[in-house]
Amino acid sequence: MTSTVTATVGAAVSALRRGEVEWTRTALPARRRLLDQIHVNTARHAQEWVETAARIKKLTSDSPLLGEEWVSGPYSLLTGAAALAESLLALEEGRSPVDGYPMRPAPGGRTAVEVFPHGVFDALLLNGFRAEVWSRPGVDAETVRARAGLGQRTPTSTGGIGVVLGAGNIFSIAPLDVLYQLYADNRVVALKLNPITDPLLPVLEKIFAPAIERGFVRLITGGPEVGAALVHHPDVDAVHMTGSAATHDAIVFGTGAEAERNKAAGTPRLTKPITSELGGVSPTIVVPGRWSNADLRFQAEHLATQRLHNNGYNCIAAQVAVISADWPQKERFLAELRAAIGRAPQRPDYYPGSSDRVEAARQSYPQAQVIGARTLIEGLTPNRREPALHTEYFAPVLGVIELPGGDPAEFLARAVQVCNDEFEGTLGVNIIAHPATIKQLGDRFDTAVTELRYGTIAVNAWTGLGYLTARASWGAFPGHSLTDIQSGIGVVHNALLIAEPERTVLRGPFRPSPRSLLHGEFSLSPKPPWFVTNRTGATTLRRLTNFAKKPGVAPLAPIFASALRG
């Protein structure tokens, strides 16, 4: 380790140690005002953020894909800071952050808190979409209410200094993780940026300026040696990271033969508490039913989006579609899927190693179909020897696995078992099912949702929407260990500061408006603006971000107009 690295890390940690003392003296109203300042700064520098993100990802200024950078960048931080500020206000006033949110008993002795929609604007902007955070089994509503608030219930008792090792794919991940460490875990924070995101340092410094000035946050750049020095610094109390399971294991156990010995013996090199969000192989279950031609086309675009958003560089990108081998409409759906992949806008590979991972997938599967720069692999089998079920390609590669079962109940039960037992990771799973099929299945559908062991479950929606929902929890299904990390340990986002949530369950409309209304679904939402095939996604999501800067009635009409044109 060089003297420069030692000096840089030491200076940051020393400043944070002083900042921790100041943080203990900062009362809830001042902590809430800090969030308000971060919100104002994010709004002020949102354009610069997106322009910088476009340069990193090699997107032109007129690219329809710029909407991804608006919504997964400044929009996510704006809504996250605002939702956290509301939770602090509740605590200031002696209320629980979950007061006023509908709750209901969920299967298995759980409690479900409806976190979306929250307020009339949510109901208008994403009409027909809902999200619930489920507690773990045996936790009743009163316990959820009493424990919500996490570290802000005892603000003078801090968690010390935390290190966040930032992600390089979605640019709001790192700043949102900083807020979670600061507020949920009540720690001051050193954020080590992923080198991919180093160009964003000036923007983030402006956004977090009030927290940096008071010693609550430090932003650091550099390579692996800087990250190693940070996490192993004796004054650092905890670590949070986003990345791959391999990166996690290198940090916790070391590399090479040493890592193998440490992991086998259960003796990690890093003995501090570490939380993580690590992705995995996310499935999309397509339940057989009787679909119209328009349904087949729309849901094929939905599935293509789940994979191709951000070119597949998402921890939650759907990697394998699970469909019925006996579905009479299977071949038509697959034809629509191939067409949707072909229609999606082409884009540069900006994430390191992407082309190598694509080539590895094609070498493993000589039958793979090349569609432009994308790869579709049909004919997968449900077992642990199948590379596509255990290798997170993190690239525009989508697989298809067919399971027996023309009967929806039989197929769904089998699909749940395969997703739980044969896929690597537990971050998220999508289910696409016709409303009539869901009604026909009744309690059996609810049972399937309950039995899926995933941190986010999306029904006729994409789990990526759970990432964008500030009050939803985001992370792996509970129960992983350092030696079997899968998709990680712990959650983030969770702006209601719910203690130990188990999962988030999302539901959306099967059809876009106006077809939804014509078929009895009470949803006014047109094709979602995050679809990679949406023609006005960039405009709609930029306007949505502007709305999040200062919510009000006036910006709604332009948002709706752009969304309908999409």
Side-chain angles (χ1 to χ4, degrees), residues 462-479:
W462 176 36
T463 44
L465 182 59
Y467 175 89
L468 297 176
T469 303
R471 296 174 180 87
S473 60
W474 184 252
F477 194 78

Side-chain angles (χ1 to χ4, degrees), residues 425-504:
T426 65
L427 186 61
V429 59
N430 311 286
I431 306 174
I432 299 174
H434 193 288
T437 304
I438 295 175
K439 183 177 180 180
Q440 170 195 339
L441 290 170
D443 291 344
R444 290 172 294 182
F445 188 84
D446 295 335
T447 297
V449 170
T450 304
E451 289 181 349
L452 281 164
R453 298 191 296 270
Y454 285 84
T456 299
I457 301 169
V459 179
N460 292 332
W462 176 36
T463 44
L465 182 59
Y467 175 89
L468 297 176
T469 303
R471 296 174 180 87
S473 60
W474 184 252
F477 194 78
H480 300 315
S481 65
L482 290 181
T483 54
D484 183 22
I485 196 63
Q486 297 280 322
S487 291
I489 295 172
V491 300
V492 290
H493 302 189
N494 185 31
L496 295 181
L497 302 176
I498 295 170
E500 295 187 325
E502 182 186 63
R503 69 180 85 187
T504 286

Side-chain angles (χ1 to χ4, degrees), residues 74-275:
Y75 171 85
S76 294
L77 187 54
L78 287 165
T79 55
L84 270 174
E86 286 187 15
S87 291
L88 262 67
L89 179 60
L91 291 168
E92 287 173 45
E93 296 176 345
R95 299 181 287 112
S96 170
V98 300
D99 284 349
Y101 288 80
M103 295 191 200
R104 68 174 182 89
R110 298 169 174 88
T111 298
V113 184
E114 185 179 284
V115 299
F116 191 93
H118 177 62
V120 66
F121 290 139
D122 281 355
L124 288 172
L125 288 167
L126 284 174
N127 189 261
F129 289 87
R130 294 185 294 123
E132 294 179 328
V133 174
W134 287 18
S135 74
R136 300 189 187 193
V139 179
D140 61 18
E142 283 307 309
T143 303
V144 170
R145 184 174 290 107
R147 297 179 64 195
L150 296 178
Q152 298 310 299
R153 300 186 66 82
T154 55
T156 60
S157 178
T158 79
I161 296 175
V163 166
V164 169
L165 301 177
N169 58 332
I170 295 295
F171 296 160
S172 61
I173 292 177
L176 285 170
D177 290 349
V178 167
L179 291 186
Y180 201 72
Q181 288 282 308
L182 195 58
Y183 286 92
D185 295 318
N186 206 30
R187 296 188 183 107
V188 293
V189 193
L191 166 61
K192 174 11 187 103
L193 291 175
N194 186 298
I196 294 173
T197 66
D198 282 356
L200 277 170
L201 177 64
V203 178
L204 295 178
E205 286 179 330
K206 295 170 190 174
I207 289 172
F208 281 100
I212 294 170
E213 290 164 5
R214 298 180 67 182
F216 304 153
V217 172
R218 281 293 182 271
L219 307 181
I220 302 175
T221 60
E225 70 282 0
V226 176
L230 269 172
V231 301
H232 290 289
H233 193 286
D235 286 344
V236 165
D237 298 283
V239 176
H240 177 81
M241 67 158 293
T242 301
S244 69
T247 301
H248 171 275
D249 286 354
I251 292 168
V252 173
F253 295 106
T255 57
E258 178 199 16
E260 293 180 13
R261 290 193 301 271
N262 287 338
K263 194 169 184 179
T267 54
R269 290 180 58 207
L270 184 69
T271 57
K272 301 168 184 179
I274 178 168
T275 54

